[in-house]
Amino acid sequence: MRIGELAKRAGTTTRALRYYEQLGLLPARRAGNGYRAYGEEDVRLLRQIRTLQDFGFGLEETRPFVECLQAGHPHGDSCPASLEVYRKKLSELDECIARLEEVRSLVSEQFARAERERDALAAGAAAEPPQCEWAASAAPDRNTGES
């Protein structure tokens, strides 16, 4: 099959396929007429790459999975190198989740503090304004103008 058909079947663009070829993730085979030629195994490679990318893997992280498929294994994650990439990705995700939980906790504390302050201000605004004690006794008598 030609590059346009492969791109369509894999749900990507011809430009992406050329880039994968540059990176060595997609084999560059040429037909007698000079056009790129692809087979069903290339569709499998691309689906593996796309699935991993959808999960957040970088292109270089997909390499062991692609090589595993190219070696004839039934799944891209059947090889030790692929399993190691999974291990590293899980570790990265665990670190990221821990950091997000820390940040969430801090934001939650700030939010609770801000709500308490807002509620205190609202409660204070609803109360009678404080009266000056001396103002009532020192105020001039309105009838006479004397204090």
Side-chain angles (χ1 to χ4, degrees):
M1 86 184 76
R2 293 184 45 191
I3 194 167
E5 183 182 345
L6 177 62
K8 184 177 179 179
R9 289 189 54 199
T12 190
T13 64
T14 57
R15 184 177 184 175
L17 297 183
R18 288 187 200 99
Y19 183 61
Y20 298 160
E21 186 180 302
Q22 275 183 322
L23 294 176
L25 294 171
L26 185 63
R29 293 181 302 273
R30 300 281 177 167
N33 59 7
Y35 290 127
R36 290 174 174 89
Y38 301 99
E40 288 302 316
E41 67 278 2
D42 297 314
V43 175
R44 282 184 65 214
L45 292 178
L46 290 170
R47 286 187 180 146
Q48 179 75 76
I49 291 169
R50 302 275 303 166
T51 298
L52 291 168
Q53 283 193 299
D54 288 347
F55 291 159
F57 287 71
L59 278 176
E60 277 307 311
E61 291 173 313
T62 69
R63 188 174 302 281
F65 297 87
V66 169
E67 291 170 351
C68 192
L69 286 172
Q70 288 172 330
H73 294 276
H75 303 284
D77 56 6
S78 302
C79 299
S82 303
L83 296 175
E84 184 57 31
V85 172
Y86 276 153
R87 233 179 251 106
K88 285 180 184 176
K89 184 56 79 175
L90 286 171
S91 177
E92 288 174 15
L93 290 169
D94 288 342
E95 289 174 21
C96 187
I97 289 167
R99 179 65 183 134
L100 285 172
E101 286 174 344
E102 289 174 20
V103 170
R104 187 189 189 294
S105 177
L106 292 172
V107 170
S108 180
E109 289 171 18
Q110 286 294 98
F111 179 64
R113 182 204 45 80
E115 279 190 319
R116 285 191 305 272
E117 287 180 6
R118 181 209 55 205
D119 293 346
L121 286 173
E128 289 290 321
Q131 297 286 329
C132 289
E133 292 178 18
W134 62 268
S137 61
D141 186 303
R142 291 191 184 161
N143 295 331
T144 63
E146 298 176 5
S147 332

